[in-house]
């Protein structure tokens, strides 16, 4: 074979190979794929090439699921290797995200979330990891502030530093699944996938099954009366890691700063701490378990944090329930508030009671009365007078007469989140009449701003054109017509 022939055949082979590669590089839709370019693009991307790798928050969720499953399988198991989980960078990063979403004020160091974001989040979290792993972390004292209560008194609020809130949130992410495996269905407060609406629905259903008497209970100064030693023993039933127990003990004994003076804390957990709701549920879990064992025959316990009621069928059962509750609380070093605890008779709508911002009262079913002539009463709920008073006060604060010259859209933009949030909470009850009243109140407040703005230039009858639809056209949220059944909501 001559050299020219060999060269000609070599060209043909090269062309066939190139054609084969081009055909083999066809995508599923027939488009050509540049393999070299694809490799270069993959190399240019930052991060792992594995598309199935879990994101940090998914890894934290996986950790929580494993802890919950292990605790559920072994009710008597004590967990010992948890401190290293709290120190994990992905756990602390997820804790930071939640603290940032919750916002909150600065603690004694006057460092806010915005300050940390400005100086750098990663160095902040790395510093926490270094302190925790070296055993040098020490919580700072809690800043004491007071917020007004509905009865005119003031509630003490403890504000930890942002740094302490992040570490508490990390500990909560690790500890909460373990104790969630033990908590009973009668507890609804500050728990994942449980809400105040679920607690209220439980009472509504029990009221239809013969619940005619209620023990409306209130614990005197609950968050300030928790015994630290008893609480630590309850935590140690599930946690054997000494470093984690030391963290919890340090938060309990961190001290409180009020008006520049620091005082030690020997009782209670600060309201406002991230870990406090979990610790309070652990403490009152004793009430839940002892009631299930010794008091369930008297009635149904429904508890939301330290606020709870017992629904009973008879007056005698209600009296026995109160006596049993007092004995259980005495063992925990707690007592019922003598002025706020009472027994309520719901039969035939005689009395009602307030619970979780709602007023619960039995009402006659008009439909059944008209059809059959039977007098059947069902437990209804609507916003309590305190809740209505607070929302009206908030509307007044957002619509002062001094804002009469502001753009009506700006005023409505401030009102809508308040109205929408308030309505979403109460819409699962029998709140239609209250919603109409509040809609009217908001409408009148906005009309007063328009009249104030016009002043002497207001023409006779001009205010009549400012009907409800006038403000709804600017985007004002309407509460009327938003009531839904809990399942639909």
């Amino acid at each position: 074979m001559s050299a020219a022939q060999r060269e000609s055949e070599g060209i043909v082979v090269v062309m066939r190979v190139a054609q084969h590669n081009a055909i083999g590089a066809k995508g599923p839709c027939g488009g050509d794929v540049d393999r070299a370019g694809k490799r270069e693009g993959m190399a240019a991307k930052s991060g792992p090439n594995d598309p199935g790798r879990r994101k940090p928050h998914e890894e934290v969720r996986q950790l929580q699921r494993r802890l919950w499953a292990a605790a559920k399988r072994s009710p008597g198991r004590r967990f010992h290797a948890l401190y290293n989980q709290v120190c994990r960078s992905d756990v602390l990063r997820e804790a930071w995200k939640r603290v940032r979403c919750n916002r909150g004020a600065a603690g004694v160091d006057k460092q806010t979330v915005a300050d940390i974001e400005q100086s750098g989040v990663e160095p902040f979290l790395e510093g926490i990891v270094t302190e925790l792993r070296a055993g040098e972390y020490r919580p700072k004292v809690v800043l004491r502030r007071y917020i007004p209560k509905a009865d005119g008194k003031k509630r003490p609020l403890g504000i930890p530093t942002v740094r302490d809130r992040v570490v508490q949130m990390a500990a909560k992410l690790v500890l909460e699944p373990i104790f969630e495996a033990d908590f009973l269905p009668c507890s609804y407060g500050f728990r994942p996938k449980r809400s105040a609406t679920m607690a209220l629905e439980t009472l509504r259903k029990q009221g239809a099954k013969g619940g005619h008497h209620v023990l409306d209970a209130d614990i005197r100064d609950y968050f300030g009366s928790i015994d630290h030693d008893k609480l630590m023993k309850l935590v140690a039933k599930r946690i054997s890691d000494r470093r984690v127990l030391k963290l919890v003990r340090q938060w309990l004994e961190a001290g409180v700063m009020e008006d520049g003076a620091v005082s030690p804390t020997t009782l209670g957990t600060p309201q406002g701490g991230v870990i406090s709701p979990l610790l309070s549920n652990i403490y009152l879990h004793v009430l839940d378990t002892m009631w299930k064992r010794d008091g369930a025959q008297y009635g149904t316990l429904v508890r939301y944090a330290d606020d709870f009621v017992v629904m009973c069928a008879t007056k005698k059962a209600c009296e026995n329930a109160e006596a049993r509750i007092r004995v259980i609380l005495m063992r925990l070093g707690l007592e019922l508030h003598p002025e706020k605890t009472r027994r309520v008779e719901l039969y035939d709508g005689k009395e009602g009671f307030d619970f979780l911002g709602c007023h619960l009262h039995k009402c006659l079913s008009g439909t059944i009365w008209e059809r059959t002539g039977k007098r059947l009463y069902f437990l209804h709920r609507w916003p309590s007078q305190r809740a209505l008073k607070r929302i009206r006060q908030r509307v007044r604060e957002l619509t002062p007469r001094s804002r009469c010259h502001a753009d009506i859209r700006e005023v409505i933009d401030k009102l809508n989140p308040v109205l929408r949030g308030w309505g979403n909470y109460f819409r699962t009850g029998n709140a239609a009449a209250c919603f109409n009243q509040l809609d009217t109140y908001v409408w009148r407040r906005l009309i007063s701003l328009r009249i104030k703005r016009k002043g002497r230039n207001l023409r006779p009858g001009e205010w009549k054109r400012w009907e409800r639809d006038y403000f709804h056209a600017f985007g004002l949220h309407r509460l009327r017509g938003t009531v839904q059944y809990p399942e639909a909501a």
Side-chain angles (χ1 to χ4, degrees):
M1 183 183 293
S2 64
Q5 289 176 339
R6 287 196 298 270
E7 182 179 357
S8 176
E9 289 184 2
I11 294 174
V12 172
V13 170
V14 170
M15 292 178 63
R16 287 178 178 175
V17 171
Q19 184 179 7
H20 173 74
N21 290 340
I23 295 173
K26 293 286 184 179
C29 297
D32 293 339
V33 179
D34 187 353
R35 293 182 177 179
K38 183 177 180 180
R39 287 194 296 269
E40 291 178 1
M42 292 176 64
K45 292 180 180 179
S46 61
N49 294 331
D50 182 10
R53 180 171 178 176
R54 291 191 298 267
K55 297 180 180 179
H57 73 275
E58 294 176 349
E59 294 179 354
V60 175
R61 288 292 302 138
Q62 182 67 17
L63 169 65
Q64 291 181 313
R65 283 192 288 266
R66 290 201 304 266
L67 290 172
W68 181 89
K72 200 69 175 179
R73 285 195 302 266
S74 306
R77 176 178 174 179
R78 298 179 70 206
F79 291 78
H80 63 279
L82 297 178
Y83 190 81
N84 291 335
Q85 309 298 331
V86 176
C87 300
R88 280 171 43 170
S89 58
D90 56 346
V91 173
L92 286 168
R93 193 170 290 108
E94 179 65 19
W96 159 256
K97 291 179 181 179
R98 299 194 181 193
V99 170
R100 182 186 59 184
C101 292
N102 294 336
R103 293 176 290 183
V108 293
D109 60 355
K110 299 182 180 179
Q111 188 179 39
T112 63
V113 172
D115 294 337
I116 295 173
E117 290 180 328
Q118 186 175 1
S119 60
V121 176
E122 289 302 322
F124 170 74
L125 296 178
E126 290 175 1
I128 293 178
V129 172
T130 302
E131 287 185 354
L132 288 173
R133 289 180 176 173
E136 299 174 353
Y137 169 78
R138 298 294 183 273
K140 297 184 180 296
V141 297
V142 176
L143 183 63
R144 174 65 58 82
R145 289 288 183 265
Y146 292 91
I147 57 176
K149 297 173 63 176
D151 56 2
K153 299 181 181 179
K154 293 185 177 180
R155 184 191 306 276
L157 186 68
I159 306 176
T161 63
V162 178
R163 166 177 161 272
D164 291 336
R165 294 207 294 268
V166 171
V167 181
Q168 288 185 20
M169 181 63 77
K172 181 187 176 187
L173 290 173
V174 175
L175 297 179
E176 187 176 53
I178 299 173
F179 291 98
E180 270 294 319
D182 297 335
F183 290 159
L184 298 180
C186 62
S187 173
Y188 295 90
F190 305 109
R191 295 182 58 190
K193 299 182 180 180
R194 300 182 77 81
S195 64
T197 302
M198 297 172 66
L200 294 168
E201 276 298 289
T202 300
L203 291 176
R204 182 185 68 82
K205 294 175 182 178
Q206 290 297 323
K209 295 178 181 179
H212 298 307
H213 296 266
V214 166
L215 172 64
D216 183 12
D218 185 272
I219 301 177
R220 185 202 293 268
D221 189 22
Y222 170 65
F223 286 93
S225 303
I226 294 178
D227 187 283
H228 289 176
D229 292 334
K230 292 180 180 179
L231 175 59
M232 291 306 302
K233 289 180 180 178
L234 294 173
V235 176
K237 284 186 175 181
R238 275 299 205 172
I239 310 299
S240 61
D241 193 325
R242 293 184 178 182
R243 292 180 294 178
V244 174
L245 295 175
K246 182 181 178 181
L247 275 180
V248 177
R249 174 72 75 171
Q250 286 177 339
W251 290 324
L252 293 175
E253 300 177 351
V256 176
M257 176 180 287
E258 185 175 357
D259 298 331
V262 178
S263 57
T265 52
T266 58
L267 289 174
T269 60
Q271 295 188 62
V274 176
I275 200 72
S276 294
L278 175 60
L279 296 179
S280 66
N281 275 333
I282 293 173
Y283 202 69
L284 279 183
H285 178 61
V286 177
L287 169 64
D288 301 341
T289 54
M290 295 187 70
W291 180 263
K292 180 181 179 181
R293 187 187 66 187
D294 303 327
Q297 68 272 18
Y298 300 130
T300 301
L301 172 67
V302 176
R303 183 175 67 82
Y304 192 94
D306 63 320
D307 195 3
F308 66 92
V309 298
V310 181
M311 179 166 284
C312 310
T314 64
K315 183 178 180 180
K316 182 62 176 179
C318 191
E319 295 174 353
N320 293 335
E322 181 178 0
R324 186 59 192 160
I325 290 290
R326 290 186 183 276
V327 172
I328 298 174
L329 294 181
M330 187 181 301
R331 296 183 180 180
L332 293 172
L334 305 172
E335 62 175 336
L336 293 176
H337 199 294
E339 299 177 359
K340 298 181 180 180
T341 301
R342 65 192 187 105
R343 295 190 296 270
V344 181
E345 186 176 356
L346 302 176
Y347 193 79
D348 286 352
K350 291 182 179 180
E351 295 179 281
F353 66 101
D354 292 347
F355 184 60
L356 300 180
C358 294
H359 181 75
L360 293 91
H361 209 109
K362 283 203 171 185
C363 299
L364 176 67
S365 174
T367 304
I368 296 178
W369 169 257
E370 292 177 356
R371 292 179 178 177
T372 64
K374 296 182 179 180
R375 301 175 62 87
L376 292 181
Y377 288 79
F378 296 95
L379 191 63
H380 289 195
R381 66 175 184 268
W382 53 82
S384 65
Q385 290 299 317
R386 287 184 178 180
L388 290 170
K389 183 179 179 180
R390 284 196 295 267
I391 188 62
R392 286 194 293 263
Q393 175 64 28
R394 185 61 179 147
V395 171
R396 283 196 298 270
E397 293 173 355
L398 295 175
T399 57
R401 295 176 67 85
S402 59
R403 297 204 65 189
C404 62
H405 295 289
D407 189 343
I408 192 65
R409 296 178 183 85
E410 297 180 2
V411 179
I412 291 175
D413 287 343
K414 295 291 184 180
L415 280 172
N416 278 345
V418 176
L419 297 175
R420 190 176 292 110
W422 191 85
N424 286 342
Y425 180 79
F426 290 105
R427 66 174 178 167
T428 57
N430 310 88
C434 294
F435 280 11
N436 292 340
Q437 293 173 8
L438 187 57
D439 277 340
T440 301
Y441 181 78
V442 173
W443 170 57
R444 290 176 177 173
R445 291 293 300 180
L446 294 177
I447 282 183
S448 67
L449 293 183
R450 282 301 193 193
I451 294 175
K452 175 67 175 178
R453 181 174 182 172
K454 283 288 185 177
R456 296 180 180 179
N457 297 324
L458 182 67
R459 296 188 299 272
E462 185 178 3
W463 65 271
K464 294 182 179 180
R465 70 184 183 91
W466 297 319
E467 295 292 338
R468 298 172 189 262
D469 292 339
Y470 172 83
F471 297 106
H472 292 314
F474 286 104
L476 178 65
H477 180 69
R478 189 200 308 265
L479 291 172
R480 186 183 61 181
T482 61
V483 175
Q484 292 182 337
Y485 288 107
E487 290 78 7

